[in-house]
């Protein structure tokens, strides 16, 4: 009976080992046990696809501004909770920026990264997360470039490319003129295609794009009324009684089927053209 019990115990023990439900302490080369054997170190989970995306890119500054100082790009968080971006990274074809400890993008919110924070604030009115001093060469090319956002583990969270750079999107987003930006429409929309982006004539860092205002309608003055076609039907200019001038008259005829208001009309001869 005892032998059967011992056999059953070893059988169960072996089944647990083979199923991975039980692990044995590992022994180091010096014979000591590994106190961490059998424990799993939880890895930082990668964000779900499309939770944080590169939403808008301003790479070609207008005349009178500076490059790369006035370059910036915007991230959008589609998730319903704040996302900790500590030690994430973003790179282009020449450099990389690593997010500092404590960098956070709010739920359903935006985070703008600018090469020069002071210059950005002077132009746009709020402080971004500056990356120029620590980016190691992250400078957006006007002819074509890429932006690749990576999580702590190094996996790609989102990427885009434009102009002559086909590394992230093929075909890439089209190049846009200076002072314009490339932005997802609608914000945060991501199908991993260049068609997700549209050209913005009026960039909108840090928020939803504002619709182009519709010009106010020009007031149309009321049409000038066309005078009714009244006719001078009879003129008596020599009077009906000799040596009397007071019995001259003019007769008007209204060919219309409605009454015509004569207020404002005038009648006169060559000597009294403005007389009523």
């Amino acid at each position: 009976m005892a032998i059967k019990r011992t056999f059953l115990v070893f059988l169960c023990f072996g089944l647990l080992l083979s199923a991975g439900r039980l692990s044995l302490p590992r022994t180091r080369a010096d014979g000591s046990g590994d106190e961490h054997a059998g424990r799993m170190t939880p890895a930082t989970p990668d964000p779900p696809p499309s939770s944080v995306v590169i939403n808008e890119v301003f790479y070609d500054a207008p005349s009178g501004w500076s490059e790369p100082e006035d370059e910036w790009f915007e991230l959008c968080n589609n998730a319903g909770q704040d996302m900790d971006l500590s030690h994430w990274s973003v790179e282009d074809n020449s450099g990389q920026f690593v997010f500092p400890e404590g960098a956070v993008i709010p739920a359903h919110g935006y985070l703008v990264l600018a090469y020069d924070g002071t210059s950005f604030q002077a132009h746009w009115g709020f402080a971004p997360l500056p990356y120029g001093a620590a980016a190691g060469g992250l400078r957006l090319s006007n002819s074509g470039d890429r932006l690749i956002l990576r999580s702590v583990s190094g996996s790609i969270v989102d990427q885009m490319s434009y102009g002559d750079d086909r590394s992230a999107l093929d075909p890439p987003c089209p190049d846009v003129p200076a002072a314009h930006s490339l932005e997802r429409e609608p914000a945060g929309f991501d199908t991993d295609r260049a068609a997700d982006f549209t050209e913005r004539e009026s960039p909108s860092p840090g928020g939803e794009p504002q619709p182009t205002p519709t010009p106010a309608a020009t007031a149309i003055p009321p049409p000038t009324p066309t005078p009714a076609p009244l006719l001078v039907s009879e003129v008596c200019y020599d009077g009906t009684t000799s040596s009397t001038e007071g019995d001259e008259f003019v007769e008007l005829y209204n060919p219309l089927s409605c009454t015509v208001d004569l207020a404002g009309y005038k009648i006169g001869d060559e000597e009294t053209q403005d007389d009523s």
Side-chain angles (χ1 to χ4, degrees):
M1 193 70 176
I3 294 175
K4 289 183 178 179
R5 289 176 181 172
T6 303
F7 175 75
L8 290 174
V9 169
F10 277 105
L11 178 61
C12 293
F13 186 76
L15 290 174
L16 289 172
L17 283 175
S18 63
R21 301 289 297 275
L22 183 66
S23 62
L24 293 175
R26 294 194 298 270
T27 303
R28 296 194 180 98
D30 59 3
S32 62
D34 186 352
E35 63 180 356
H36 299 291
R39 297 183 184 178
M40 295 184 65
T41 302
T44 303
D46 287 334
S50 299
S51 59
V52 180
V53 296
I54 299 162
N55 194 62
E56 187 172 7
V57 183
F58 184 82
Y59 59 86
D60 195 351
S63 176
W65 292 24
S66 300
E67 292 187 12
E69 288 78 10
D70 291 319
E71 298 171 354
W72 54 266
F73 58 93
E74 172 192 85
L75 304 181
C76 175
N77 180 10
N78 290 316
Q81 65 274 347
D82 296 353
M83 296 291 291
D84 183 4
L85 304 184
S86 300
H87 310 298
W88 285 33
S89 65
V90 64
E91 63 196 59
D92 72 341
N93 62 13
S94 62
Q96 182 186 62
F97 169 70
V98 178
F99 289 79
E101 183 71 29
V104 172
I105 182 170
H108 300 300
Y110 302 88
L111 178 64
V112 177
L113 294 89
Y115 189 93
D116 185 278
T118 302
S119 183
F120 178 92
Q121 188 162 10
H123 290 305
W124 303 100
F126 66 95
L129 175 61
Y131 65 81
L138 179 58
R139 299 184 177 191
L140 300 175
S141 171
N142 290 347
S143 59
D145 208 336
R146 74 201 73 163
L147 280 173
I148 303 175
L149 179 66
R150 297 182 184 271
S151 67
V152 177
S153 67
S155 62
I156 295 177
V157 178
D158 188 41
Q159 59 182 336
M160 65 85 67
S161 58
Y162 61 88
D164 59 11
D165 192 317
R166 298 176 176 269
S167 59
L169 296 176
D170 191 5
C173 298
D175 186 23
V176 297
H180 293 202
S181 69
L182 286 168
E183 185 175 22
R184 293 184 186 274
E185 186 174 302
F189 182 71
D190 184 22
T191 64
D192 295 325
R193 297 183 303 164
D196 297 339
F197 290 84
T198 188
E199 177 184 341
R200 284 281 182 239
E201 184 177 353
S202 300
S204 57
E208 296 282 352
Q210 299 300 315
T212 302
T214 302
T218 303
I220 300 176
T224 302
T226 302
L230 299 180
L231 304 176
V232 178
S233 59
E234 187 177 356
V235 178
C236 179
Y237 58 88
D238 198 14
T240 58
T241 304
S242 60
S243 69
T244 303
E245 295 183 356
D247 57 355
E248 299 173 351
F249 67 87
V250 175
E251 176 187 83
L252 302 180
Y253 171 68
N254 176 16
L256 303 177
S257 60
C258 59
T259 301
V260 175
D261 184 0
L262 298 182
Y265 280 71
K266 294 181 180 181
I267 188 170
D269 61 7
E270 63 180 2
E271 298 177 353
T272 59
Q273 293 183 15
D274 294 330
D275 288 350
S276 299

